[in-house]
Amino acid sequence: MLDTMSAKNLLSLDGRVAIVTGSTRGIGLAVARKFAGYGASLIICGRAEQLPDEIMFGFRDPSRVTYVSCDLGAAGSAERIVAAANDTHGRLDILVNNAGIQPPGDLQSSNDEEWRSVLEVNVVAAAALMRCAAAAMTHGGSIINIASSRSTRPGMGMAAYSASKSALLNLTQSAAVELGPLGARVNAVSPGLVNRPGLVESWPEGVKRFSDSAPLGRIGEPEEIANACLFLAGDAASWITGTNLAVDGGITLVR
Ligand code: NAD
C-alpha cells in the first residue's frame, strides 16, 4: 500500500506549469486553486479585461499566477494563452480546457448562429488549445477536457450544449491517440450538476430532481471536480489516457 508520503509525491505538481481556461469562477477557479496548492504555476484565463484583486489574492502565491484576458471565440486566443506560459515560465505541462458555455435552447428553437457560438467555444477553441499546447509540451504533459454528464445523457432544452460536449469527448479520444506518442496524455472529466453561488435559490426544482435521482443523493461541489483534475494532471495517472472520468454522484447510471 502507498504510504502517505509517496501518495503526496504522486499528486505533487511542483515545478509544473498549468493553463486552466475559464478560471475566473466556478469549476475552473477551483481547479486553478487546487493546482496552485499542489505546487503548480498557473496561467488563468477569462473574458474580463482585468482579474479582480480578490481572486488573484485568493492564491497563496499570486506571483506564480498570470492572468490572460481573452475571448476563446476569437481567432488567435489559443496562441496567446500558450505563448503566456512559454514567455513567463519557459514550459507547459498541463492544460485544462474548462471554459464552456451553455445557452438554453432545444433543437426546434435554436438557430445556426447559436449552434456556431457553442461549438466555437466548447469544441473549436478546445481543439486549438490542444494543438498549441501539444507543441509546447516538450517535457510531455497532461490535457484535461471538462465535458459533462450531458455528453452521454442529453436532456431537454440543451441540444447544442450536449452535442458540443459529446464532440469534446470524441475529440479527447482522437487527441489521446495522436498525442500519446509525443508524451502527452489526454483525458476528460464529466461533471454532473455542480453547485455555484445562488444555484439552490434560483433553481431549487433542478437541484432537488438531481439530488433525488443521483445515487449519492446530492449535487457536487467545484472542489470535487478539482480533485479529479488533480489526479489526472499528475503522475498518479501516468498510464491513463483517452478516458472519461464521470464525477457526477452516479447520475449517469440512472438517467
Ligand atoms: P461558469 O459559467 O461558472 O464559468 C465559465 C468560465 O468560462 C468563466 O470563467 C468564463 O469567463 C469562461 N468563458 C466562457 N466563455 C468564454 C469565452 N468565450 N472566452 C473565454 N472564456 C470564456 O462555468 P462552470 O459552471 O464552472 O463550468 C465549467 C465547465 O464545466 C464548463 O465547460 C461546463 O460546461 C462544465 N460543466 C459544468 C457543470 C455545472 O453544473 N456547473 C456541469 C457539467 C459540466
Side-chain angles (χ1 to χ4, degrees), residues 19-237:
I19 292 170
V20 185
T21 65
S23 35
T24 55
R25 63 183 194 210
I27 292 170
L29 182 57
V31 172
R33 290 228 165 103
K34 178 69 65 176
F35 285 6
Y38 278 76
S41 297
L42 282 155
I43 306 296
I44 63 174
C45 335
R47 273 176 302 192
E49 197 62 43
Q50 285 209 314
L51 190 68
D53 280 354
E54 68 266 23
I55 295 182
M56 189 55 106
F57 291 111
F59 287 92
R60 206 183 323 158
D61 183 358
S63 70
R64 298 217 320 249
V65 181
T66 304
Y67 177 66
V68 178
S69 163
C70 64
D71 176 0
L72 285 171
S77 292
E79 286 80 358
R80 262 191 330 109
I81 293 167
V82 172
N86 269 331
D87 295 349
T88 315
H89 304 286
R91 62 183 287 153
L92 176 64
D93 305 278
I94 300 160
L95 164 68
V96 182
N97 274 318
N98 166 77
I101 54 173
Q102 184 183 355
D106 54 31
L107 185 57
Q108 296 174 86
S109 64
S110 54
N111 60 39
D112 291 356
E113 201 183 322
E114 288 160 352
W115 273 82
R116 282 198 193 91
S117 69
V118 172
L119 292 171
E120 196 68 53
V121 175
N122 295 5
V123 184
V124 179
L129 275 155
M130 285 199 277
R131 189 168 59 236
C132 296
M137 286 177 166
T138 49
H139 305 80
S142 173
I143 297 174
I144 299 163
N145 293 321
I146 305 298
S148 167
S149 56
R150 293 304 184 187
S151 309
T152 52
R153 299 281 193 283
M156 279 295 280
M158 47 180 76
Y161 176 76
S162 300
S164 74
K165 292 297 188 178
S166 187
L168 187 58
L169 272 194
N170 194 278
L171 179 58
T172 299
Q173 295 177 331
S174 295
V177 170
E178 201 177 310
L179 303 184
L182 306 178
R185 299 181 294 104
V186 189
N187 293 289
V189 167
S190 284
L193 183 59
V194 175
N195 205 1
R196 61 175 174 268
L199 176 71
V200 178
E201 295 75 18
S202 63
W203 199 37
E205 69 285 6
V207 172
K208 182 174 184 330
R209 197 164 53 239
F210 186 98
S211 304
D212 288 349
S213 308
L216 292 183
R218 61 175 175 82
I219 62 171
E221 294 297 328
E223 187 168 2
E224 294 178 295
I225 311 305
N227 287 337
C229 292
L230 176 66
F231 165 66
L232 287 171
D235 295 342

